[in-house]
Amino acid sequence: GESVGLHLPTLSVQEGDNSIINCAYSNSASDYFIWYKQESGKGPQFIIDIRSNMDKRQGQRVTVLLNKTVKHLSLQIAATQPGDSAVYFCAENPNSKLTFGKGITLSVRP
Amino acid sequence: DGGITQSPKYLFRKEGQNVTLSCEQNLNHDAMYWYRQDPGQGLRLIYYSQIVNDFQKGDIAEGYSVSREKKESFPLTVTSAQKNPTAFYLCASSISGSKAEAFFGQGTRLTVV
């Protein structure tokens, strides 16, 4: 498969622990943000999104937090499982131009 | 089933040849995108299109061309002017507007020898 995680920052967590993945975005005009998960050799899959009029949004086992003051986004994964191992990207969508951060590899230790 | 399809999954070409990557979607999405992915580089935007017969350059458009003659299709041509074409290419689509998630294809791995 495609080694998309090669050379990316890596977060290693113990199975069952909570994971926090952070992202800094660059464009103050961005008003919509998305987190994606990418497994090796596959296209990114949508996890959760948040609009700029919100600070927090929860999904199933995942929570996204948005701090517009410091242009920071985070993804929290509760009770991390081996299937969560992947590369995670944040994306912003200013002016309908969807752009991505560099990504972080999440590695789950059994 | 609705979705976005890229073909082929693997593609090999000789240096100096143009090659076209296919991207088709049946989601009735107005917007389509092409990204390039290299190890450690994340996803970089090549071209995007918000509507049929219109498209804009992304961050790394040099050496690439696109067309958007039909809503369902957004083919990407990697030309001989692209200095380092070997990469993983991803196509995505979304409903129009700035607050919509994009759906991705499974990618095409292009290797130029």
Side-chain angles (χ1 to χ4, degrees):
Chain A
E2 179 65 30
S3 300
V4 297
L6 191 64
H7 304 312
L8 291 173
T10 299
L11 174 66
S12 180
V13 298
Q14 189 72 39
E15 181 179 356
D17 287 351
N18 296 335
S19 302
I20 300 176
I21 302 171
N22 296 307
C23 174
Y25 65 92
S26 57
N27 195 324
S28 299
S30 297
D31 57 1
Y32 178 65
F33 304 88
I34 314 169
W35 278 101
Y36 284 90
K37 172 186 179 182
Q38 186 179 26
E39 297 175 341
S40 184
K42 297 183 178 179
Q45 292 179 298
F46 172 86
I47 301 173
I48 192 168
D49 58 2
I50 188 168
R51 299 190 178 196
S52 59
N53 61 353
M54 303 172 69
D55 297 322
K56 179 180 179 179
R57 189 166 188 222
Q58 288 184 296
Q60 186 177 9
R61 273 202 315 120
V62 294
T63 300
V64 55
L65 299 177
L66 175 62
N67 185 329
K68 295 181 290 293
T69 303
V70 295
K71 293 191 285 187
H72 184 268
L73 198 64
S74 68
L75 177 70
Q76 300 177 359
I77 304 174
T80 311
Q81 303 169 358
D84 294 326
S85 293
V87 177
Y88 289 80
F89 294 97
C90 64
E92 56 184 309
N93 202 355
N95 306 314
S96 301
K97 180 184 174 184
L98 186 62
T99 57
F100 285 76
K102 287 197 172 185
I104 295 173
T105 300
L106 177 65
S107 176
V108 181
R109 304 188 303 272
Chain B
D1 290 335
I4 181 165
T5 303
Q6 289 185 243
S7 61
K9 187 171 177 63
Y10 298 96
L11 188 57
F12 295 87
R13 279 294 181 271
K14 290 184 178 180
E15 191 173 347
Q17 290 182 335
N18 292 355
V19 59
T20 298
L21 281 59
S22 171
C23 179
E24 303 278 332
Q25 54 96 3
N26 60 3
L27 300 167
N28 200 33
H29 286 167
D30 286 309
M32 296 188 75
Y33 308 81
W34 273 107
Y35 295 88
R36 171 185 171 132
Q37 188 171 32
D38 298 281
Q41 293 293 322
L43 277 72
R44 292 185 289 170
L45 183 63
I46 305 172
Y47 269 98
Y48 63 111
S49 168
Q50 294 296 317
I51 197 168
V52 175
N53 293 321
D54 188 37
F55 48 83
Q56 289 78 41
K57 291 182 179 180
D59 300 318
I60 56 165
E62 185 176 352
Y64 299 97
S65 66
V66 293
S67 63
R68 187 81 189 278
E69 297 176 0
K70 298 187 299 181
K71 187 176 187 179
E72 308 81 40
S73 180
F74 191 40
L76 173 75
T77 297
V78 184
T79 75
S80 57
Q82 169 50 235
K83 295 179 181 178
N84 186 19
T86 294
F88 189 50
Y89 290 88
L90 285 159
C91 179
S93 71
S94 71
I95 62 173
S96 189
S98 63
K99 298 180 179 63
E101 67 184 271
F103 294 83
F104 281 83
Q106 291 301 296
T108 293
R109 172 69 178 172
L110 173 64
T111 302
V112 175
V113 295

